[in-house]
Amino acid sequence: MSRFLNFSIFRYNPATPEIPPRMQDFQLDETPNMSLFIALNRLREEQDPSLMFDFVCRAAVCGSCAMLINGRPGLACKTLTQDLPDKITLMPLPVFKLVGDLSVDTGVWFRGLNENLEAWIHTDKPFDPQGLEDRMDNPTAHAIYDAERCIECGSCIAACATANMRADFIGAAGLNRVARFLIDPRDERQPYQVFEVVGTDEGVFGCIGLMACDDICPMEIPLQQQLALVRRKMALASLKGK
Amino acid sequence: MKWSDAHLTDVLVIGAGLAGERVAIEAATQGHQVTILSLVPPRRSHSTAAQGGMQASLGNVAMGYGDNPDIHFADTVKGSDWGCDQEVARLFCNLAPVAVRQMAQWGVPWSRVVPGKRLLPEGVEVEELQEKAGLIAQRQFGGTAKWRTCFAADGTGHVLQYAMDSVVVKLGVTVHDRMEAIALIHDGEHCYGAVALSLRDGSLRPYLAKAVVIATGGYGRIYGVSTNAVINEGTGMSICLDTGVVPLGNMEAVQFHPTGIVPAGILVTEGCRGDGGYLLDKNLHRFMPDYEPVKKEVASRDVVSRWMLHHMSKGLGVDSPYGPHLWLDIRHLGKEHICVNLREVHAICANFLGIDCVEELIPVRPTQHYSMGGIRTDVNGAAYGLQGLFAAGEAACWDLHGFNRLGGNSLAETIVAGMVVGEQVARYAGERSLEFPFALVADAMAAQEDRVSKLRSRSGGSEDVYRLRKGMEDALLNNVGIFRTGEALEKAVSILQELYQRSANIRLRSSGLGPNPELYAALRLPGTLKLALCIAQGALQRTESRGSHYREDYPHRDDENWLKRTLAYWPPGADMPRLEYEPVKITELPPGDRGYGGMPIKGD
Ligand SMILES: Cc1cc2nc3c(=O)[nH]c(=O)nc-3n(C[C@H](O)[C@H](O)[C@H](O)COP(=O)(O)OP(=O)(O)OC[C@H]3O[C@@H](n4cnc5c(N)ncnc54)[C@H](O)[C@@H]3O)c2cc1C
Ligand code: SF4
Ligand code: FES
């Protein structure tokens, strides 16, 4: 039953620009329950120790390892080879700056996004170390948690036609982040203040509705719903005229 | 090196997990310029992987009514098997509620109390009172008298880290990610900064600061099989050890978590048992009540892990191609509970085991999880040995956990220590001016440049870095695990010593140019081998059993001779650590019986 897997992997090392980007082939025997985390580490340790890729948690919770797996963005650590054909093509995510081979710089991109969206709780309330916490009902806490589950892996951004064309589009992850703060009662921003940032072509109007993001998200965040929520709140806010 | 490449800042924080970011926030809020270095973007730090929750004695839920810092303190000290520093534990327990509530204000969506009656899995009915509705909810964790673990479903670490980082972004704190500190700049008395390696291009850069804080997390990965993220190699600890003057405390105190999944080693949270899950053997018998009639599955981690191994040694484990394991059964908690409160567990089982834990059993085995030991600091977080050097979080031995950490006390520690140490760092930096000791910086840079260029030249040596690393992992896993003996520990020490010698002769197979993972691994290995030696040697010398450190040949706690903390130093040029000891501070609770873990428990 054991297969031989044929990997075709994108290679480029910015330190040696004289060697142009290329696809390199590797072979590996498949073992039971083998994930791309296991496979790539074996390739590095056994065949080519210069192979660059990023893993941190290897448990699908940190968002480090997204790449194009046979053309589709996904988390490599939770992708099992048994679910793939015996020819596996691995490419770095588009949109993000390449570090080398399969490694891309999602961190700086997301920090920029969070700065632009001012993605933090805006409140004037001073913190009282002696006081009790403010109350919140549990369903509200769960709704915030649902949106907060995004791990900034960049898959939805890489899958997005708009993001691939315009560097400043905030993408599904950005819109989901907006939704997260809109539903949080602790954030004292008025909706119109949020929409000054997102009611533009880089924001909600950038989305052309292909919805590739929705079934790509490894955290199964209902991105389409979140986008609808942002649009609805925005329509309401403009009706109220600020 | 060009001098203009040097990065100057008031406070340099090495590590962007919860502890590092909390220190940074405190220092930045007090007006200091702060720079954070991290191997990865902050939100990918290992803290995000924590699932279960954070302890603070809020007393919000029925099973926690009447809780207070005194009870939390007693649980923590018993959990530590009296190895912790009681002054630190007291400070911590008093501040944990403040930390939880401040995180709420910064945006953490804590799960909340829903009033009404409910039936616990064991058949007890409890009523959550209306007056507590909407306050922060709490669940049970091991080794605690009250339910006090605050949680956000089972993604607590993730939401804490995201909220913390949102404040870092708000304050505009500088973060240099993919930058690894590989040496400290010091003169044997003061610490002036660090030499960092860029993981983007393999270049070196000096960072100078008035105060340097190490918040680099644990070293779990040196065990190979671990619940820890793959970046947890303890380099922050090893660069301190390299100074020759900063000691590491209690490195032999290594925690094994009862429920790592087999074979991947990924953790499923203690919340599974806290919420009522059972451990079963191959006959589907629930065995923990046989050994711990009172605490059952929720005795402290060291105790549950030992009983599990003991039970498997009687042939009652479930056989698998990856060795024997036991079952974790959460089916009776019901689909709704699992899919809401244990949602990430459900996902982990589906992704990595291909099973639905609502209907199927989860294969588990005790797995390396946490480092109680680390950079020894005083109660203010100031490292022993060098002025201007501080440490916080899992990298530090502050020493809140002694020989066993309670679940939920680590997230709480990162944040409380961040507050306390951050305050001290801010004060210290406020009293000093920035120095640029040219000669020291030049020497420190030259030493590291020399290591890098030797490796890149591929002239000497023939050792393969990955083979050596595997040797280290195996030596620790096989000989410095849950059940320890003098014989196995001696063996580990001699294997590790040999590997350490050989690590001076690594030869790269690749060019080592640019962002080269083999170069990075080769630069790290000698330091991680030193940590491994501190662990093994500390364990060999400690001829007693305490908390997670369990010697089959010395199965009892020995307060007369061993109520003390190990301090491991690495003298320059030595091939072994030098061990010293200091007394453990007992201020309130004299050594006594833990109330669980009756000894001795037999291994095999
Ligand atoms: C799977 C899992 C689940 C857990 N669940 C819980 C729980 O439910 N409750 C609980 O209380 N505890 C839990 N813990 C423990 C807890 O999560 C950790 O102890 C804690 O998060 C450590 O935080 P930290 O800030 O000290 O370090 P980390 O979060 O590990 O951060 C370390 C930082 O240092 C950086 N770094 C490391 N080395 C260097 C270097 N040389 N140069 C520059 N940067 C460096 C890294 O990039 C990272 O940013 C869990 C642990 C694991 C493994
Ligand atoms: S929304 Fe989903 S796909 Fe997009 S970055 Fe977040 S986790 Fe990744
Ligand atoms: S390594 Fe963390 S998501 Fe894959």
Side-chain angles (χ1 to χ4, degrees):
Chain A
M1 201 216 83
S2 152
R3 298 187 294 174
F4 254 94
L5 301 174
N6 294 294
F7 285 89
S8 174
I9 297 179
F10 175 88
R11 302 301 307 270
Y12 182 67
N13 184 347
T16 51
E18 64 281 7
I19 308 173
R22 66 200 188 282
M23 299 302 292
Q24 188 177 349
D25 292 339
F26 297 93
Q27 273 81 44
L28 198 65
D29 58 301
E30 187 173 36
T31 53
N33 268 328
M34 186 157 102
S35 63
L36 288 180
F37 165 71
I38 295 171
L40 283 167
N41 275 293
R42 272 189 59 198
L43 288 178
R44 179 190 278 173
E45 288 173 23
E46 296 167 15
Q47 301 189 29
D48 187 342
S50 69
L51 187 59
M52 290 173 256
F53 48 77
D54 294 321
F55 289 99
V56 178
C57 71
R58 61 81 177 86
V61 295
C62 79
S64 300
C65 65
M67 56 182 72
L68 293 184
I69 303 161
N70 286 340
R72 192 184 151 90
L75 298 180
C77 69
K78 77 161 196 181
T79 302
L80 301 183
T81 54
Q82 69 198 33
D83 299 329
L84 299 172
D86 57 11
K87 174 140 179 59
I88 300 171
T89 304
L90 301 177
M91 303 270 287
L93 285 190
V95 182
F96 301 99
K97 183 166 183 262
L98 183 73
V99 175
D101 298 346
L102 300 173
S103 169
V104 295
D105 192 344
T106 45
V108 168
W109 193 93
F110 274 100
R111 164 103 186 204
L113 177 81
N114 289 317
E115 281 168 1
N116 289 342
L117 297 180
E118 300 192 3
W120 55 82
I121 300 281
H122 289 56
T123 177
D124 291 330
K125 218 176 149 199
F127 174 64
D128 171 12
Q130 264 33 277
L132 279 190
E133 63 271 26
D134 288 342
R135 289 171 203 258
M136 180 185 278
D137 64 42
N138 203 40
T140 306
H142 280 303
I144 300 169
Y145 179 71
D146 281 347
E148 188 84 325
R149 288 176 73 249
C150 166
I151 54 175
E152 302 193 342
C153 71
S155 292
C156 60
I157 308 296
C160 172
T162 309
N164 271 288
M165 287 175 326
R166 358 179 1 146
D168 49 1
F169 177 52
I170 64 173
L175 290 165
N176 175 61
R177 187 56 42 79
V178 171
R180 182 247 173 272
F181 285 97
L182 276 175
I183 56 180
D184 193 327
R186 294 167 294 197
D187 194 323
E188 291 165 357
R189 271 177 291 185
Q190 295 302 311
Y192 78 83
Q193 291 172 295
V194 176
F195 298 136
E196 278 167 8
V197 186
V198 296
T200 62
D201 284 355
E202 297 85 56
V204 262
F205 296 122
C207 171
I208 51 175
L210 296 179
M211 289 304 165
C213 52
D214 217 42
D215 49 59
I216 287 276
C217 175
M219 300 306 284
E220 293 170 6
I221 298 173
L223 294 169
Q224 204 160 347
Q225 255 179 50
Q226 301 287 53
L227 173 68
L229 181 138
V230 175
R231 284 188 167 153
R232 208 167 50 240
K233 291 235 178 194
M234 200 161 117
L236 264 168
S238 61
L239 275 181
K240 287 193 203 139
K242 286 214 162 179
Chain B
M1 182 200 79
K2 295 198 300 289
W3 291 113
S4 58
D5 288 345
H7 181 94
L8 310 182
T9 183
D10 293 329
V11 175
L12 178 67
V13 179
I14 303 173
L18 283 170
E21 288 210 317
R22 187 63 187 82
V23 169
I25 288 169
E26 197 61 39
T29 311
Q30 302 202 17
H32 295 292
Q33 195 184 324
V34 182
T35 302
I36 305 180
L37 304 185
S38 175
L39 304 175
V40 296
R43 297 180 184 202
R44 313 218 187 285
S45 295
H46 181 56
S47 288
T48 56
Q51 301 163 356
M54 160 166 179
Q55 287 209 41
S57 55
L58 307 180
N60 285 346
V61 294
M63 295 296 284
Y65 291 158
D67 198 10
N68 60 45
D70 296 342
I71 306 177
H72 189 183
F73 173 84
D75 285 343
T76 301
V77 175
K78 284 182 198 162
S80 79
D81 221 350
W82 277 269
C84 74
D85 182 309
Q86 296 193 6
E87 188 186 350
V88 167
R90 171 50 72 183
L91 176 72
F92 162 81
C93 294
N94 290 349
L95 281 174
V98 180
V100 165
R101 291 178 175 133
Q102 185 167 48
M103 293 313 296
Q105 183 153 13
W106 286 347
V108 168
W110 295 114
S111 296
R112 300 291 174 144
V113 175
V114 180
K117 293 199 170 111
R118 65 191 173 117
L119 205 57
L120 303 179
E122 298 246 290
V124 184
E125 192 187 69
V126 294
E127 180 172 5
E128 303 298 344
L129 298 178
Q130 187 61 40
E131 65 187 75
K132 300 281 188 186
L135 294 177
I136 294 169
Q138 298 178 284
R139 60 164 43 134
Q140 173 172 232
F141 254 36
T144 64
K146 300 276 181 187
W147 290 25
R148 79 166 69 84
T149 305
C150 310
F151 62 101
D154 64 354
T156 311
H158 171 87
V159 295
L160 284 170
Q161 180 87 53
Y162 272 55
M164 195 72 90
D165 190 55
S166 78
V167 178
V168 165
V169 175
K170 173 181 163 188
L171 297 173
V173 172
T174 305
V175 177
H176 290 180
D177 69 5
R178 295 185 193 257
M179 276 306 244
E180 173 168 347
I182 61 169
L184 292 177
I185 300 171
H186 70 99
D187 59 8
E189 277 174 25
H190 276 101
C191 181
Y192 299 96
V195 176
L197 169 75
S198 165
L199 305 179
R200 290 166 197 274
D201 59 15
S203 62
L204 294 174
R205 184 174 188 189
Y207 285 77
L208 280 298
K210 298 176 189 170
V212 177
V213 186
I214 311 271
T216 49
Y219 55 67
R221 275 287 149 179
I222 71 177
Y223 271 81
V225 182
S226 166
T227 63
N228 286 198
V230 296
I231 59 169
N232 284 24
E233 299 188 79
T235 49
M237 295 182 199
S238 64
I239 61 177
C240 288
L241 195 60
D242 285 342
T243 63
V245 291
V246 178
L248 303 181
N250 281 347
M251 289 299 280
E252 63 270 33
V254 182
Q255 181 167 81
F256 288 75
H257 194 292
T259 57
I261 63 171
V262 179
I266 296 171
L267 182 86
V268 289
T269 173
E270 183 156 312
C272 293
R273 282 170 294 128
D275 290 3
Y278 303 144
L279 290 167
L280 308 181
D281 64 16
K282 72 173 183 191
N283 303 319
L284 304 188
H285 168 64
R286 182 184 174 199
F287 58 90
M288 275 309 294
D290 304 346
Y291 300 121
E292 295 290 337
V294 182
K295 283 271 162 196
K296 308 185 181 89
E297 280 86 354
V298 290
S300 65
R301 289 177 179 172
D302 54 329
V303 171
V304 177
S305 290
R306 273 198 292 278
W307 285 127
M308 289 170 75
L309 249 64
H310 168 79
H311 201 68
M312 288 196 280
S313 76
K314 297 203 294 199
L316 293 164
V318 183
D319 288 323
S320 85
Y322 305 100
H325 63 75
L326 293 158
W327 298 117
L328 173 66
D329 184 5
I330 57 172
R331 296 172 300 179
H332 52 286
L333 303 184
K335 186 174 171 127
E336 197 190 312
H337 183 94
I338 293 172
C339 292
V340 176
N341 286 336
L342 298 171
R343 180 169 175 171
E344 313 301 337
V345 168
H346 191 251
I348 286 169
C349 291
N351 290 334
F352 299 96
L353 294 166
I355 62 165
D356 177 0
C357 61
V358 174
E359 278 162 14
E360 289 167 271
L361 299 171
I362 310 170
V364 294
R365 184 162 61 208
T367 306
Q368 193 290 337
H369 181 60
Y370 185 82
S371 25
M372 274 76 74
I375 302 150
R376 178 69 185 129
T377 71
D378 66 14
V379 64
N380 297 323
Y384 284 21
L386 278 184
Q387 286 185 48
L389 182 67
F390 297 79
E394 192 172 339
C397 178
W398 189 24
D399 181 2
L400 172 63
H401 309 299
F403 277 77
N404 174 66
R405 164 179 78 91
L406 293 185
N409 258 0
S410 175
L411 287 180
E413 178 194 17
T414 60
I415 299 174
V416 172
M419 293 159 61
V420 173
V421 180
E423 172 90 38
Q424 296 300 327
V425 167
R427 174 174 310 165
Y428 181 88
E431 289 165 357
R432 282 182 67 87
S433 51
L434 188 61
E435 290 179 50
F436 199 131
F438 287 90
L440 276 182
V441 177
D443 287 353
M445 284 291 287
Q448 298 307 318
E449 272 158 5
D450 189 49
R451 291 178 69 203
V452 171
S453 60
K454 270 210 183 102
L455 284 165
R456 284 197 181 128
S457 74
R458 291 194 279 170
S459 40
S462 60
E463 301 288 355
D464 178 77
V465 61
Y466 297 112
R467 296 250 310 264
L468 296 186
R469 198 177 70 186
K470 184 80 175 64
M472 169 183 72
E473 295 170 1
D474 290 346
L476 288 172
L477 217 49
N478 298 334
N479 304 303
V480 201
I482 294 177
F483 288 100
R484 301 171 172 181
T485 64
E487 202 184 331
L489 291 168
E490 271 170 21
K491 191 166 149 202
V493 169
S494 82
I495 298 173
L496 291 168
Q497 267 186 304
E498 190 210 315
L499 291 169
Y500 179 63
Q501 308 282 348
R502 288 166 63 190
S503 71
N505 300 316
I506 292 172
R507 183 194 177 93
L508 299 186
R509 282 184 278 144
S510 61
S511 69
L513 295 175
N516 183 289
E518 190 186 20
L519 173 78
Y520 304 156
L523 287 170
R524 282 173 202 140
L525 190 66
T528 44
L529 278 162
K530 285 184 180 174
L531 298 183
L533 273 163
C534 291
I535 297 169
Q537 179 68 1
L540 176 62
Q541 295 307 320
R542 186 173 282 275
T543 48
E544 67 154 354
S545 289
R546 185 181 296 273
S548 65
H549 171 71
Y550 191 84
R551 287 281 300 255
E552 284 188 282
D553 40 359
Y554 298 93
H556 297 280
R557 196 175 82 200
D558 176 0
D559 289 330
E560 206 169 308
N561 296 302
W562 285 104
L563 194 55
K564 55 190 183 188
R565 183 177 298 113
T566 311
L567 298 178
Y569 291 84
W570 201 283
D575 60 357
M576 277 291 278
R578 185 186 78 235
L579 302 187
E580 294 180 7
Y581 295 91
E582 66 174 3
V584 172
K585 195 180 285 170
I586 309 280
T587 54
E588 299 180 46
L589 197 61
D593 179 29
R594 299 172 93 188
Y596 44 79
M599 295 203 183
I601 303 169
K602 294 290 286 172
D604 46 24

